[in-house]
Amino acid sequence: QAGEGWMLRYPVRYPADSMIVEGLVAALKYSKKARKFPAERDWQEYGLARPSLKVGIETEGSPKRRYLYFGDPSPVGNFVFARWEGEKEYFLIQNQLKSIFSVSLYSLRMKRIFTLPLKDISKISVRIGDEEFVVEKREKGWSWTEPAALSGARLSKKRSKKILSSLGSLHVKEFLETEPIDAKSIFSPSPPLLEIVAENGSQESLILGQEFPEREAYYATQKSEGVAVFLVSKDRIQNFFSLIQKSATKAIPSTGN
Protein backbone atom coordinates (compact mmCIF):
# COMPACT_ATOMS: atom_id res chain seq x y z
CA GLN A 1 0.00 0.00 0.00
CA ALA A 2 1.30 3.45 -0.95
CA GLY A 3 -0.25 6.70 0.21
CA GLU A 4 -4.02 6.54 -0.28
CA GLY A 5 -3.97 3.57 -2.63
CA TRP A 6 -2.22 0.37 -3.63
CA MET A 7 0.77 0.07 -5.95
CA LEU A 8 2.01 -2.93 -7.91
CA ARG A 9 5.75 -3.34 -7.49
CA TYR A 10 6.41 -6.50 -9.55
CA PRO A 11 6.55 -7.50 -12.40
CA VAL A 12 5.63 -3.89 -13.26
CA ARG A 13 5.43 -0.78 -11.15
CA TYR A 14 1.95 0.58 -11.69
CA PRO A 15 -1.08 1.76 -9.66
CA ALA A 16 -3.25 -1.15 -8.57
CA ASP A 17 -7.02 -1.35 -8.67
CA SER A 18 -7.75 -0.62 -5.00
CA MET A 19 -11.20 -2.24 -5.11
CA ILE A 20 -9.73 -5.53 -6.33
CA VAL A 21 -6.90 -5.47 -3.78
CA GLU A 22 -9.21 -4.55 -0.90
CA GLY A 23 -11.39 -7.47 -1.93
CA LEU A 24 -8.39 -9.81 -1.68
CA VAL A 25 -7.51 -8.41 1.73
CA ALA A 26 -11.08 -8.87 2.97
CA ALA A 27 -11.26 -12.42 1.60
CA LEU A 28 -8.07 -13.32 3.45
CA LYS A 29 -9.08 -11.52 6.63
CA TYR A 30 -12.43 -13.25 6.95
CA SER A 31 -11.44 -16.70 5.71
CA LYS A 32 -11.61 -19.52 8.24
CA LYS A 33 -9.59 -22.66 8.63
CA ALA A 34 -11.86 -25.64 8.25
CA ARG A 35 -9.59 -27.93 10.24
CA LYS A 36 -5.99 -28.05 11.43
CA PHE A 37 -3.73 -31.13 11.39
CA PRO A 38 -0.16 -32.08 12.27
CA ALA A 39 1.74 -33.10 9.14
CA GLU A 40 1.92 -36.91 8.84
CA ARG A 41 3.58 -37.04 5.43
CA ASP A 42 6.09 -35.11 3.40
CA TRP A 43 4.86 -31.70 2.24
CA GLN A 44 5.05 -32.97 -1.33
CA GLU A 45 2.11 -35.25 -0.59
CA TYR A 46 -0.10 -32.23 0.12
CA GLY A 47 1.20 -30.12 -2.74
CA LEU A 48 2.82 -27.81 -0.20
CA ALA A 49 6.51 -28.44 -0.89
CA ARG A 50 6.41 -26.35 -4.06
CA PRO A 51 2.94 -24.81 -3.92
CA SER A 52 1.24 -23.70 -7.11
CA LEU A 53 0.23 -20.50 -5.34
CA LYS A 54 1.66 -18.63 -2.40
CA VAL A 55 0.55 -15.30 -0.98
CA GLY A 56 3.02 -13.06 0.81
CA ILE A 57 1.59 -10.82 3.54
CA GLU A 58 3.06 -7.85 5.37
CA THR A 59 1.27 -5.75 7.98
CA GLU A 60 2.09 -2.51 9.79
CA GLY A 61 2.47 -4.44 13.02
CA SER A 62 4.53 -7.19 11.40
CA PRO A 63 6.55 -5.84 8.44
CA LYS A 64 8.35 -9.17 7.94
CA ARG A 65 6.65 -10.94 5.07
CA ARG A 66 4.89 -14.25 5.75
CA TYR A 67 3.80 -16.62 3.02
CA LEU A 68 0.58 -18.59 2.93
CA TYR A 69 0.98 -21.72 0.78
CA PHE A 70 -1.95 -23.16 -1.17
CA GLY A 71 -1.57 -26.84 -2.08
CA ASP A 72 -3.57 -29.63 -3.70
CA PRO A 73 -7.34 -30.14 -3.45
CA SER A 74 -8.52 -32.11 -0.45
CA PRO A 75 -10.11 -35.50 -1.24
CA VAL A 76 -13.03 -34.49 0.98
CA GLY A 77 -15.17 -31.40 0.45
CA ASN A 78 -14.44 -28.24 -1.52
CA PHE A 79 -11.17 -27.51 0.26
CA VAL A 80 -7.46 -27.28 -0.48
CA PHE A 81 -4.49 -28.03 1.74
CA ALA A 82 -2.72 -24.92 3.04
CA ARG A 83 -0.03 -23.94 5.52
CA TRP A 84 1.95 -20.96 6.69
CA GLU A 85 5.60 -20.95 5.70
CA GLY A 86 7.77 -22.34 8.49
CA GLU A 87 4.93 -24.00 10.42
CA LYS A 88 4.76 -27.76 10.97
CA GLU A 89 0.99 -27.96 10.78
CA TYR A 90 -1.31 -27.69 7.78
CA PHE A 91 -5.00 -26.95 7.51
CA LEU A 92 -7.90 -27.08 5.10
CA ILE A 93 -9.23 -23.89 3.58
CA GLN A 94 -12.02 -23.29 1.08
CA ASN A 95 -10.95 -23.73 -2.52
CA GLN A 96 -12.74 -20.47 -3.33
CA LEU A 97 -10.03 -18.51 -1.52
CA LYS A 98 -7.36 -20.02 -3.75
CA SER A 99 -9.45 -19.15 -6.81
CA ILE A 100 -9.83 -15.55 -5.62
CA PHE A 101 -6.06 -15.13 -5.40
CA SER A 102 -5.45 -16.76 -8.79
CA VAL A 103 -5.82 -13.38 -10.47
CA SER A 104 -4.11 -12.06 -13.58
CA LEU A 105 -1.77 -9.09 -13.64
CA TYR A 106 -4.27 -7.24 -15.85
CA SER A 107 -7.07 -7.64 -13.30
CA LEU A 108 -4.87 -6.21 -10.52
CA ARG A 109 -3.81 -3.12 -12.45
CA MET A 110 -5.64 0.19 -12.41
CA LYS A 111 -7.39 0.30 -15.76
CA ARG A 112 -9.17 3.65 -15.55
CA ILE A 113 -7.50 6.18 -17.85
CA PHE A 114 -8.40 9.11 -15.61
CA THR A 115 -8.04 8.64 -11.87
CA LEU A 116 -9.21 12.11 -10.82
CA PRO A 117 -12.73 12.00 -9.28
CA LEU A 118 -15.28 13.12 -11.85
CA LYS A 119 -16.81 15.56 -9.38
CA ASP A 120 -13.47 17.39 -9.09
CA ILE A 121 -12.95 17.95 -12.82
CA SER A 122 -13.17 21.62 -13.78
CA LYS A 123 -11.90 21.59 -17.38
CA ILE A 124 -11.97 19.17 -20.31
CA SER A 125 -9.89 19.79 -23.44
CA VAL A 126 -10.20 17.74 -26.62
CA ARG A 127 -8.16 18.02 -29.81
CA ILE A 128 -9.36 16.10 -32.86
CA GLY A 129 -7.36 16.92 -35.98
CA ASP A 130 -7.61 20.68 -36.52
CA GLU A 131 -10.56 21.03 -34.13
CA GLU A 132 -10.20 21.95 -30.48
CA PHE A 133 -12.98 21.76 -27.92
CA VAL A 134 -12.73 23.07 -24.36
CA VAL A 135 -15.42 23.14 -21.69
CA GLU A 136 -15.03 24.52 -18.18
CA LYS A 137 -17.12 24.18 -15.04
CA ARG A 138 -18.42 27.43 -13.62
CA GLU A 139 -20.95 28.45 -10.99
CA LYS A 140 -23.93 27.91 -13.30
CA GLY A 141 -22.63 24.71 -14.87
CA TRP A 142 -20.43 23.76 -17.80
CA SER A 143 -19.66 26.27 -20.54
CA TRP A 144 -17.69 26.24 -23.79
CA THR A 145 -14.48 28.25 -24.11
CA GLU A 146 -13.34 26.67 -27.39
CA PRO A 147 -14.08 26.88 -30.25
CA ALA A 148 -14.23 30.68 -30.10
CA ALA A 149 -17.60 30.72 -31.83
CA LEU A 150 -19.10 28.88 -28.85
CA SER A 151 -17.34 30.85 -26.11
CA GLY A 152 -19.76 31.33 -23.23
CA ALA A 153 -22.37 28.91 -24.55
CA ARG A 154 -23.59 26.46 -21.95
CA LEU A 155 -23.96 22.69 -21.94
CA SER A 156 -27.19 21.31 -20.61
CA LYS A 157 -26.96 19.30 -17.39
CA LYS A 158 -27.92 16.18 -19.33
CA ARG A 159 -25.09 16.73 -21.84
CA SER A 160 -22.47 17.46 -19.21
CA LYS A 161 -23.43 14.34 -17.27
CA LYS A 162 -23.14 12.25 -20.44
CA ILE A 163 -19.69 13.67 -21.16
CA LEU A 164 -18.43 12.98 -17.63
CA SER A 165 -19.93 9.48 -17.67
CA SER A 166 -18.28 8.73 -21.03
CA LEU A 167 -15.01 10.10 -19.68
CA GLY A 168 -15.19 7.77 -16.69
CA SER A 169 -15.80 4.76 -18.93
CA LEU A 170 -12.42 5.05 -20.68
CA HIS A 171 -10.21 2.15 -19.63
CA VAL A 172 -6.98 0.50 -20.68
CA LYS A 173 -7.98 -2.40 -22.91
CA GLU A 174 -4.55 -3.99 -22.98
CA PHE A 175 -1.10 -3.14 -21.59
CA LEU A 176 1.78 -3.45 -24.04
CA GLU A 177 5.03 -3.20 -22.05
CA THR A 178 6.28 -6.52 -23.37
CA GLU A 179 5.73 -5.65 -27.05
CA PRO A 180 8.36 -3.76 -29.09
CA ILE A 181 6.75 -0.50 -30.20
CA ASP A 182 8.14 2.36 -32.27
CA ALA A 183 6.31 5.33 -30.75
CA LYS A 184 7.40 7.67 -33.56
CA SER A 185 5.57 5.56 -36.14
CA ILE A 186 2.44 5.29 -34.00
CA PHE A 187 1.94 8.88 -32.80
CA SER A 188 1.70 11.83 -35.18
CA PRO A 189 3.36 15.20 -34.35
CA SER A 190 -0.08 16.53 -33.36
CA PRO A 191 -2.03 13.49 -32.18
CA PRO A 192 -5.62 13.49 -30.92
CA LEU A 193 -5.50 14.60 -27.29
CA LEU A 194 -7.87 14.44 -24.35
CA GLU A 195 -6.89 16.34 -21.22
CA ILE A 196 -8.67 17.05 -17.95
CA VAL A 197 -7.89 19.50 -15.15
CA ALA A 198 -9.16 19.29 -11.58
CA GLU A 199 -10.16 22.17 -9.35
CA ASN A 200 -6.85 21.86 -7.47
CA GLY A 201 -4.85 22.14 -10.70
CA SER A 202 -4.04 18.43 -11.11
CA GLN A 203 -3.93 17.32 -14.75
CA GLU A 204 -4.27 14.02 -16.58
CA SER A 205 -4.13 13.32 -20.28
CA LEU A 206 -4.71 10.72 -22.96
CA ILE A 207 -2.71 10.85 -26.20
CA LEU A 208 -4.04 8.73 -29.07
CA GLY A 209 -2.04 7.03 -31.78
CA GLN A 210 -2.89 4.95 -34.80
CA GLU A 211 -5.73 2.48 -34.92
CA PHE A 212 -5.03 -1.21 -34.22
CA PRO A 213 -7.85 -2.79 -36.28
CA GLU A 214 -7.18 -6.40 -35.25
CA ARG A 215 -7.88 -5.54 -31.61
CA GLU A 216 -10.59 -2.92 -32.26
CA ALA A 217 -8.49 -0.37 -30.44
CA TYR A 218 -6.22 2.64 -30.68
CA TYR A 219 -2.66 2.89 -29.43
CA ALA A 220 -2.47 5.39 -26.59
CA THR A 221 -0.23 6.80 -23.90
CA GLN A 222 -0.26 9.52 -21.27
CA LYS A 223 1.95 12.49 -20.48
CA SER A 224 2.96 11.02 -17.12
CA GLU A 225 6.62 10.07 -16.92
CA GLY A 226 7.34 6.37 -17.43
CA VAL A 227 3.90 5.48 -18.82
CA ALA A 228 4.14 2.90 -21.60
CA VAL A 229 1.99 2.56 -24.70
CA PHE A 230 -1.31 0.73 -24.20
CA LEU A 231 -4.56 0.07 -26.06
CA VAL A 232 -7.92 1.74 -25.56
CA SER A 233 -11.27 0.65 -26.96
CA LYS A 234 -11.99 2.07 -30.40
CA ASP A 235 -15.74 2.17 -29.74
CA ARG A 236 -15.44 4.06 -26.45
CA ILE A 237 -13.02 6.62 -27.86
CA GLN A 238 -15.17 7.23 -30.94
CA ASN A 239 -18.31 7.47 -28.80
CA PHE A 240 -16.64 10.08 -26.59
CA PHE A 241 -15.40 12.18 -29.50
CA SER A 242 -18.78 11.92 -31.20
CA LEU A 243 -20.49 13.06 -28.01
CA ILE A 244 -18.20 16.10 -27.77
CA GLN A 245 -18.80 17.09 -31.39
CA LYS A 246 -22.57 16.61 -31.18
CA SER A 247 -22.67 18.55 -27.91
CA ALA A 248 -20.95 21.46 -29.62
CA THR A 249 -23.65 21.60 -32.28
CA LYS A 250 -26.36 21.60 -29.61
CA ALA A 251 -24.77 24.14 -27.27
CA ILE A 252 -27.17 26.39 -25.37
CA PRO A 253 -26.64 30.01 -26.49
CA SER A 254 -25.19 32.27 -23.83
CA THR A 255 -27.62 34.77 -22.29
CA GLY A 256 -24.80 36.98 -21.11
CA ASN A 257 -25.75 36.49 -17.45
Side-chain angles (χ1 to χ4, degrees), residues 95-160:
N95 186 49
Q96 182 183 5
L97 186 63
K98 182 177 181 180
S99 299
I100 289 173
F101 277 93
S102 299
V103 293
S104 66
L105 176 61
Y106 176 82
S107 65
L108 286 172
R109 297 178 74 163
M110 174 71 74
K111 289 166 283 295
R112 284 187 292 120
I113 300 294
F114 298 109
T115 61
L116 292 172
L118 297 180
K119 63 180 180 62
D120 294 342
I121 297 174
S122 62
K123 182 177 179 181
I124 302 171
S125 302
V126 180
R127 184 178 67 214
I128 312 171
D130 296 330
E131 295 183 299
E132 185 169 2
F133 303 91
V134 181
V135 291
E136 294 189 34
K137 185 165 63 174
R138 298 172 178 174
E139 290 183 5
K140 294 184 179 181
W142 287 86
S143 299
W144 293 93
T145 58
E146 291 288 344
L150 291 179
S151 183
R154 294 184 292 111
L155 278 83
S156 67
K157 288 184 178 180
K158 184 177 181 179
R159 282 276 163 182
S160 58

Side-chain angles (χ1 to χ4, degrees), residues 202-231:
S202 300
Q203 298 183 16
E204 293 181 340
S205 63
L206 175 65
I207 303 169
L208 291 174
Q210 293 180 354
E211 183 182 348
F212 195 150
E214 293 82 357
R215 301 190 191 178
E216 299 183 340
Y218 286 102
Y219 287 104
T221 189
Q222 291 176 291
K223 287 185 178 179
S224 304
E225 185 178 351
V227 175
V229 176
F230 50 85
L231 297 181

Side-chain angles (χ1 to χ4, degrees), residues 177-188:
E177 291 100 342
T178 59
E179 298 187 21
I181 294 174
D182 180 7
K184 290 183 179 180
S185 66
I186 291 174
F187 297 97
S188 68

Side-chain angles (χ1 to χ4, degrees), residues 18-62:
S18 293
M19 290 186 64
I20 298 294
V21 178
E22 291 293 346
L24 296 178
V25 172
L28 190 62
K29 182 177 180 180
Y30 296 109
S31 64
K32 296 182 179 180
K33 300 175 182 177
R35 197 172 175 184
K36 198 170 184 178
F37 308 91
E40 299 176 353
R41 296 173 287 176
D42 184 86
W43 289 126
Q44 189 71 36
E45 297 295 324
Y46 306 99
L48 293 170
R50 294 182 178 180
S52 58
L53 175 67
K54 58 181 182 180
V55 178
I57 300 167
E58 299 174 21
T59 65
E60 293 181 356
S62 180

